[in-house]
Each structure stands twice: as structure tokens, then as C-alpha cells.
Amino acid sequence: MAELSHKTNWIRCYIGLGSNLEHPVTQVSRALLELERLDCCRGLIHSSLYRSDPVGPVGQPDYINAVASLETTLTPLQLLDALQAIEQLHQRVRIQHWGPRTLDLDLLLYGDEQINNERLTVPHAFIQARNFVLYPLAEIDPDVYIPNQISLADCLKNCDKGSLELI
Ligand code: ROI
């Protein structure tokens, strides 16, 4: 009898991290450790931490941003649930649209999939417009494929680095 073989499908994903409340460097560093420990996930890599000017309402503190990448066997919505559970561990509260937050974890890319449902848009809707996503992403994977969009190199040409700085 032929040997039964089971091949696990690992999908590489990219996650944007951001924080501008309650010691943002600590929030993002802790979240990276929590991502590393997620069930059904392996091979975490991450960018440096960056300081960025806030996009959104004026008067909020600067953000600390990073991008992480991992492989997962979770479905997109299972991964989203896991990311939201980590946000909850960081006492994430949604008070103001685009307002300050202790921790934001955005699923940027899930393999080469395009996803559009009421909970999730992948690639992330603003991936092309945000220097605090594009530059850290390029640091860890300059050749990453962004489905149905221009190359990361072209996105970078269109997106000013502004005052984004490595910390
Ligand atoms: N601005 C910056 N610089 N970094 C973020 O991670 C970030 N996240 C957000 C909004 C409020 C849009 N602004 C941001 O969700």
C-alpha cells in the first residue's frame, strides 16, 4: 500500500505593528515576542523599530512601527483572531477613529491571496501609501510580492520617507 503522506501548507504573512501609547517601544517589542509564540506559526522575522509621525488626528504622540513576517497554517480569519487577541492583551481600546492606540496589528499580506470581506482586506488597504509600512517591509523582504499592485520598489519611489527614522 502506498504510504500516506500529509503535506502541511505554510503560508508566509506580513504584519504591521504600531503603537503610540504606554511606552510604545515596549508595546511593539512585547508584541513581537507574542507573535513568535503564536500556535501554528513559525519562522518569525522582523524589521527594526522605526519612529514615525502620526497619520490621522493631530496632537497624538509619534508612533513606533515595525513589520514582522511569519509562516502560518492558520486561515486568514484565524490569524486575524490571534492578532486581535494580542491587541487585547495590550489593553487595546478603540475610542477615536485613527486615534492613538497601545497596539495595532495589521495583517498586510497573506501569501499571494486577495481577501475582501467585512473583517479583512488583504493586501491592507493603505499598504501603498504608508511610509511606516513600506520601508520596514523593504528592510525584511525587498522582493515581496504584493498581489494586484505595483512592485514594492515602485511603491517606495512614490512614497516619501519623510521623517521616518530608525531607532
Ligand atoms: N500613524 C503612524 N505613524 N503609525 C501608525 O501605525 C498609525 N496607525 C494608524 C493611524 C491612526 C492611521 N496612524 C498611524 O492606525
Side-chain angles (χ1 to χ4, degrees):
M1 196 176 97
E3 201 177 310
L4 288 175
S5 76
H6 176 74
K7 193 168 175 296
T8 310
N9 202 18
W10 289 96
I11 309 285
R12 184 152 285 280
C13 300
Y14 294 80
I15 296 154
L17 299 92
S19 168
N20 72 342
L21 287 179
E22 307 288 341
H23 308 287
V25 171
T26 308
Q27 298 285 351
V28 170
S29 306
R30 250 184 65 202
L32 289 169
L33 291 174
E34 288 154 356
L35 288 174
E36 190 158 35
R37 291 193 205 114
L38 276 182
D39 286 343
C40 306
C41 295
R42 69 178 189 189
L44 183 110
I45 54 173
H46 65 85
S47 71
S48 314
L49 270 51
Y50 291 75
R51 192 208 59 76
S52 63
D53 288 339
V55 171
V58 289
Q60 53 179 319
D62 288 348
Y63 278 78
I64 298 300
N65 285 107
V67 169
S69 171
L70 51 76
E71 288 185 308
T72 187
T73 57
L74 298 175
T75 65
L77 287 180
Q78 286 171 334
L79 182 58
L80 180 65
D81 285 340
L83 299 182
Q84 290 183 345
I86 294 176
E87 287 178 345
Q88 290 315 311
L89 285 176
H90 291 245
Q91 274 83 43
R92 165 76 190 267
V93 282
R94 292 167 197 268
I95 302 165
Q96 182 190 18
H97 183 60
W98 282 11
R101 65 251 348 253
T102 47
L103 183 66
D104 204 8
L105 296 178
D106 288 330
L107 182 53
L108 303 170
L109 297 168
Y110 181 92
D112 59 5
E113 288 194 26
Q114 295 180 65
I115 303 162
N116 247 300
N117 60 50
E118 66 279 5
R119 289 192 64 201
L120 199 52
T121 301
V122 176
H124 190 275
F126 298 115
I127 196 167
Q128 282 200 34
R130 303 250 158 108
N131 59 8
F132 58 81
V133 171
L134 293 175
Y135 286 85
L137 184 57
E139 186 191 330
I140 57 173
D141 193 351
D143 298 319
V144 65
Y145 172 64
I146 309 177
N148 205 26
Q149 294 195 29
I150 57 175
S151 69
L152 179 57
D154 285 335
C155 289
L156 288 167
K157 281 184 208 149
N158 298 334
C159 185
D160 192 7
K161 195 168 182 193
S163 61
L164 185 74
E165 63 178 3
L166 270 170
I167 60 159

